[in-house]
Amino acid sequence: MEEKQINHQMDAGQDELVDKKTLRRVFWRSFHLQGSFNYERMQALGYLYAMIPILLKLYPKKSDLAAALKRHLEFFNTTPAVSSFVMGISTAMEEKNAREKGVFDSSSINAIKVALMGPLAGIGDSFFWGTFRVIAAGIGISLASQGNILGAILFLVLYNIPHFFLRYKGTFWGYNQGTTLLSSLYEKGNMEKVSYCAGILGLIVIGAMTGTLVQFTTPLEISIQGAAVNLQDTLDQIMPNILPLGLTLLLFLLLKKGIKVNYIMIGIIAVGILGKWAGIL
Amino acid sequence: MVLEAILIGLLGAIGILDGRIFGQMMFERPLVMGPLVGLVLGDFTTGIIVGATLELVWMGIVGVGSATPPDVTTGGILGTAFAIMTDSGAEVALALAVPIAILAQSLGILVRTINTSFIHRADKYAEEGNTKKIVLMHWLAVGLFFLNGFVPNFLGILLGSEVVEGIVNAIPQTITEGLQVAANMFPALGFALLLQMTFTKKLSPFYFLGFGLAVFFGLDITPVAVIGAIIAVVIYQLMPTDKDKEVLL
């Protein structure tokens, strides 16, 4: 039902109250999303901070403004990089609310925000944290570990090109066609397709990094009938880097079992020291 | 030392604020902070290398969802700084960085708890339609995050260097060597954390494909990423088509 309302608004999108300049301010302010992060409502105050220029423009009457300000102080949490898209959608809906006062169901503004933040966080996390950042860091680390400053620079550039592009464009996509775009993506299952394929790319890169960046070997020698057999050589013959792969999958299982990261970190240090002391690592 | 401590404190503040008001542009990561710490302390190259090591260790640690992760910014900065100041390598940096990151994490949790009071006051100002005061509440929280980044790094350098040097010199060799082993194992934890985000039974062959490309063909990350992108695009096209697909692009 909400979708119908919004589609109707998109069609009737003449006399816009919000100009490009104000939307651009929302884009810049979206960088502040987590500036006042708290455990109760997470990114809510940062979200409102980004929306304030819009709300001031739309609601000259104090009581309308107060209602709108309270609306955007509700719980919000998503991947920061995709937040500007949701802000664009909120802007379009607030504009409609201001224009059709009393007719528009203002509670749908929050309903859409809440409905979007989960799926968008899923897609945003897998794109930005799981794919862009991982690839950029992988390339950056391999240069930087040789003492090359280009590693850090390339890391920043490779990550921030898609970041700035999507954050900027997202603001306007959200405003102009956000809800139609999203509903068509959902209906046709394209959203799942895109995140599925991002997952493929991310996993391939993580697999390659497991094979190249984890250096985990054993100096252990087993004597069989008097002859010393180097265990690592034997393992390498079965499959190169089988130990790093096994270790990664083991830790993955531990995490899946719900063991906390901090405990695993301390455990690794203990295993490292004990293993060295016992001469098996 | 006071000047250095202030500069490192400011780096810490920039690092923490990166995820707060700079839209998480990745300045917070050890890979970026390492060289900057190196620049301040006069050993650029060590900063770059230690930064890369710590980045690898913490690759998978990132604030996803509502959890507050170990503070890799402060851990990375102080770990790198102490490694440079005591003339020791990445394994010492790691040994110090891990407990520091966990300690600093609790400071971050404290700030995020205190910030709850600002949003309650913002509720009141929203009722009055007072946007100026709401903005002030936002900035007060930002101020706390600034201190969250500045204070531990500033104090760490100011008070910590001699203490740390003493500790480092007292560590037996077996332990430093064991820490080196742990440092080599840590990236596996990072990748395990990343797998938690993306790994499903259906997608698992692609993980082993990436592993195989690197291990059997000796390919670097960049060529693997290019191959991966091509595979992802091809599979996208092979999936059931529909005419609205262009909307996304």
Side-chain angles (χ1 to χ4, degrees):
Chain A
M1 233 161 59
E2 278 152 6
E3 272 166 19
K4 262 188 200 148
Q5 275 181 331
I6 297 146
N7 283 338
H8 166 247
Q9 174 223 341
M10 297 301 159
D11 298 334
Q14 321 98 353
D15 63 317
E16 276 152 4
L17 299 169
V18 176
D19 57 351
K20 212 172 169 183
K21 213 178 116 204
T22 321
L23 265 174
R24 217 173 276 138
R25 286 185 73 193
V26 175
F27 158 71
W28 284 114
R29 283 187 171 219
S30 77
F31 285 76
H32 266 255
L33 183 69
Q34 306 199 87
S36 42
F37 191 99
N38 65 81
Y39 286 129
E40 189 185 301
R41 276 173 269 165
M42 309 244 157
Q43 303 163 338
L45 185 49
Y47 195 96
L48 175 61
Y49 177 79
M51 290 296 293
I52 281 178
I54 298 284
L55 303 181
L56 280 175
K57 201 163 179 108
L58 290 177
Y59 302 109
K61 221 174 102 194
K62 203 120 205 174
S63 61
D64 294 341
L65 178 66
L69 291 171
K70 270 158 63 187
R71 200 155 44 231
H72 290 286
L73 274 176
E74 296 292 329
F75 181 96
F76 189 77
N77 198 35
T78 196
T79 312
V82 299
S83 60
S84 66
F85 180 71
V86 191
M87 289 164 186
I89 294 176
S90 289
T91 303
M93 295 180 79
E94 288 289 356
E95 188 183 44
K96 174 153 173 89
N97 185 48
R99 201 189 291 125
E100 300 174 17
K101 232 174 72 187
V103 184
F104 187 82
D105 175 16
S106 60
S107 71
S108 67
I109 298 172
N110 251 324
I112 291 286
K113 261 171 79 177
V114 172
L116 281 179
M117 65 185 182
L120 270 182
I123 254 196
D125 285 350
S126 69
F127 262 99
F128 285 95
W129 303 149
T131 311
F132 295 147
R133 186 184 61 95
V134 168
I135 294 170
I139 293 167
I141 288 169
S142 50
L143 280 167
S145 50
Q146 295 150 19
N148 190 341
I149 184 59
L150 271 179
I153 295 170
L154 258 179
F155 168 60
L156 286 173
V157 169
L158 285 177
Y159 176 79
N160 280 307
I161 287 175
H163 171 212
F164 270 76
F165 177 78
L166 288 175
R167 192 189 274 266
Y168 184 77
K169 283 285 176 191
T171 325
F172 294 91
W173 285 337
Y175 176 67
N176 289 323
Q177 45 177 329
T179 36
T180 42
L181 189 138
L182 272 174
S183 59
S184 86
L185 277 179
Y186 270 115
E187 278 165 24
K188 307 275 159 69
N190 273 342
M191 197 85 135
E192 281 159 32
K193 272 170 72 175
V194 170
S195 71
Y196 186 84
C197 293
I200 290 175
L201 173 56
L203 273 179
I204 291 176
V205 173
I206 298 166
M209 291 203 287
T210 309
T212 51
L213 296 174
V214 187
Q215 283 150 13
F216 183 42
T217 53
T218 175
L220 199 60
E221 296 201 336
I222 307 163
S223 68
I224 298 170
Q225 294 172 341
V229 175
N230 186 310
L231 185 61
Q232 186 62 45
D233 287 346
T234 317
L235 288 171
D236 283 343
Q237 277 164 16
I238 300 169
M239 187 162 88
N241 285 351
I242 192 171
L243 280 181
L245 181 66
L247 177 68
T248 307
L249 293 176
L250 172 74
L251 294 177
F252 173 55
L253 282 180
L254 291 179
L255 286 169
K256 258 190 132 176
K257 284 229 162 86
I259 297 175
K260 283 205 174 128
V261 178
N262 285 353
Y263 294 142
I264 296 181
M265 286 209 282
I266 292 162
I268 288 175
I269 290 179
V271 169
I273 291 170
L274 288 174
K276 191 78 206 176
W277 176 73
I280 56 171
L281 289 175
Chain B
M1 201 35 93
V2 177
L3 178 68
E4 271 106 337
I6 292 173
L7 287 175
I8 298 285
L10 287 175
L11 278 185
I14 292 171
I16 293 293
L17 291 183
D18 175 46
R20 306 296 119 203
I21 58 172
F22 303 132
Q24 221 151 10
M25 286 156 65
M26 295 294 140
F27 286 109
E28 61 185 7
R29 303 299 301 184
L31 186 57
V32 179
M33 279 297 159
L36 294 174
V37 169
L39 213 55
V40 171
L41 297 178
D43 191 346
F44 197 38
T45 314
T46 305
I48 297 170
I49 293 170
V50 173
T53 310
L54 293 176
E55 182 66 42
L56 194 53
V57 165
W58 281 324
M59 181 83 108
I61 296 185
V62 60
V64 169
S66 58
T68 301
D71 184 347
V72 298
T73 308
T74 300
I77 288 174
L78 286 180
T80 311
F82 292 149
I84 291 173
M85 287 155 74
T86 59
D87 249 335
S88 41
E91 70 274 10
V92 168
L94 179 82
L96 298 166
V98 169
I100 292 171
I102 295 173
L103 214 64
Q105 174 186 18
S106 43
L107 196 62
I109 291 172
L110 181 70
V111 170
R112 287 164 177 79
T113 310
I114 298 174
N115 280 350
T116 308
S117 68
F118 294 124
I119 201 165
H120 283 273
R121 283 164 69 188
D123 283 337
K124 216 182 74 210
Y125 296 127
E127 201 96 42
E128 299 163 5
N130 190 340
T131 53
K132 282 213 175 78
K133 284 275 175 67
I134 292 174
V135 170
L136 177 69
M137 290 305 109
H138 176 75
W139 278 103
L140 282 177
V142 173
L144 277 189
F145 277 120
F146 176 90
L147 294 176
N148 180 190
F150 182 84
V151 174
N153 288 293
F154 172 74
L155 289 180
I157 300 297
L158 197 65
L159 311 170
S161 56
E162 274 174 43
V163 181
V164 168
E165 186 135 33
I167 295 170
V168 168
N169 290 335
I171 300 175
Q173 208 190 346
T174 322
I175 297 204
T176 39
E177 283 174 7
L179 287 170
Q180 180 60 53
V181 174
N184 289 338
M185 285 161 72
F186 260 109
L189 173 61
F191 301 137
L193 281 161
L194 290 172
L195 285 181
Q196 233 189 344
M197 231 155 63
T198 41
F199 196 88
T200 59
K201 248 195 200 125
K202 236 172 129 187
L203 284 175
S204 63
F206 294 105
Y207 174 69
F208 296 105
L209 172 68
F211 181 80
L213 285 173
V215 169
F216 295 119
F217 298 97
L219 293 180
D220 265 345
I221 306 296
T222 318
V224 173
V226 171
I227 294 170
I230 293 169
I231 293 174
V233 169
V234 169
I235 289 181
Y236 184 84
Q237 286 166 348
L238 288 179
M239 288 167 102
T241 48
D242 54 69
K243 43 186 182 307
D244 284 325
K245 177 165 71 182
E246 303 86 354
V247 190
L248 191 96
L249 308 167

